[in-house]
């Protein structure tokens, strides 16, 4: 039987009593989806999943994205994007510096992702046994709900430009990245999305701008756009909207890429190893 333990923060809940390596019946799956929509982030502890089981469970939600950085995907599984600092035979096994700024996955696509399913395989710890490499999640609905009326009026009906190149070329711990290939550039032109987005299933409204990829507000002079965007981005990540997840190996966590933005905490380095794998669900055009 499923039990649920909300984190006590603005979002997030642990779901207990489910073994994701087993067949999940339709009623239980429906319950999980409902809890996910309600809590925006849900997680299961102590899971033991093969890559196939991770992918198959993810497919229950719908189509999966194949990440543009194929070199960062698990060999043989283009659906599994690897986030890790591990170097094997002189080559990184995945993206070493993913998610170090606030963002939502694939917000820069014409059709952004619905959600991500993240599995923790190896988690770094400090000498006292404290887990490192947490992930912070900010509720974009909580942020929208308390937005001052004057700000709501300024952004009503407006769109912002989301840019993959902006995030890709940011300063990174792992050093500068290779330039995007022509094919990668072709697949990721700048796109415009509403600043206030409506969740396609729950109808919840949320603030859809982030530090990582949002470049400017459409149709607004540069200085005005920078100031308003700065204000919105600071507001969206206020501490009261955040749940910080402390990982344990075997955690399986789902976040919603419309209702939530996230940021990885980079407070560890080799020889401390972190190895996570993510599937990313195809979403629908924002409105
Ligand atoms: C990501 O943004 O997909 C990675 C988040 C993390 O490593 O915690």
């Amino acid at each position: 039987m499923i039990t649920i333990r909300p984190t006590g923060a603005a979002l997030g809940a642990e779901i207990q009593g489910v073994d994701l390596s087993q067949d999940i019946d339709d009623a239980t799956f429906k319950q999980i989806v409902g809890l996910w929509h309600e809590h925006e982030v849900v997680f299961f502890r102590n899971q033991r999943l093969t890559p196939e089981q991770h992918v198959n469970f993810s497919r229950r939600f719908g189509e999966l994205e194949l990440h543009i950085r194929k070199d960062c995907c698990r060999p043989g599984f283009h659906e599994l994007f690897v986030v890790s600092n591990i170097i094997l035979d002189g080559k990184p096994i995945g993206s070493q510096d993913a998610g170090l700024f606030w963002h939502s996955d694939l917000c820069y696509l014409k059709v952004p992702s619905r959600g991500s399913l993240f599995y923790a395989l190896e988690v770094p710890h400090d000498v006292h046994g404290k887990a490192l490499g947490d992930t912070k999640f900010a509720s974009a609905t909580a942020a929208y709900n308390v937005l001052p009326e004057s700000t709501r009026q300024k952004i009503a009906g407006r769109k912002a430009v989301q840019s993959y190149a902006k995030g890709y070329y940011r300063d990174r711990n792992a050093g500068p990245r290779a330039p995007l290939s022509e094919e990668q550039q072709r697949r990721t032109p700048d796109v415009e999305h509403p600043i206030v987005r409506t969740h396609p299933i729950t109808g919840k409204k949320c603030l859809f701008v982030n530090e990582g990829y949002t470049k400017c507000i459409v149709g607004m002079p540069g200085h005005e756009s920078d100031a308003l965007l700065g204000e919105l981005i600071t507001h969206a990540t206020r501490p009261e909207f955040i749940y910080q997840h402390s990982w344990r190996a075997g955690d399986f966590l789902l976040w919603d890429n419309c209702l939530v933005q996230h940021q990885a905490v980079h407070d560890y380095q080799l020889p401390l190893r972190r190895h996570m794998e993510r599937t990313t669900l195809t979403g629908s055009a924002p409105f």
Side-chain angles (χ1 to χ4, degrees), residues 83 98-99 103 105 118 133-135 247 255 262 264 274 276 278:
V83 178
H103 68 288
D105 295 333
F118 209 57
D134 290 1
T135 308
W247 294 99
W255 65 76
H262 60 283
R274 185 174 189 265
M276 325 293 260
R278 182 186 103 196

Side-chain angles (χ1 to χ4, degrees), residues 209-221:
V209 289
N210 64 71
E211 178 195 14
Y213 296 107
T214 312
K215 199 155 100 175
C216 60
I217 298 178
V218 178
M220 208 175 248

Side-chain angles (χ1 to χ4, degrees), residues 22 26 74 83 86 99 101-102 115 124 143 154 157 160 163 165 191 216 222 226 236 249 252 255:
Q22 301 299 307
D26 288 345
R74 179 186 261 264
V83 178
I86 299 171
F101 43 74
W102 285 103
K154 280 191 222 161
S163 164
V191 295
C216 60
D226 288 350
F252 191 89
W255 65 76

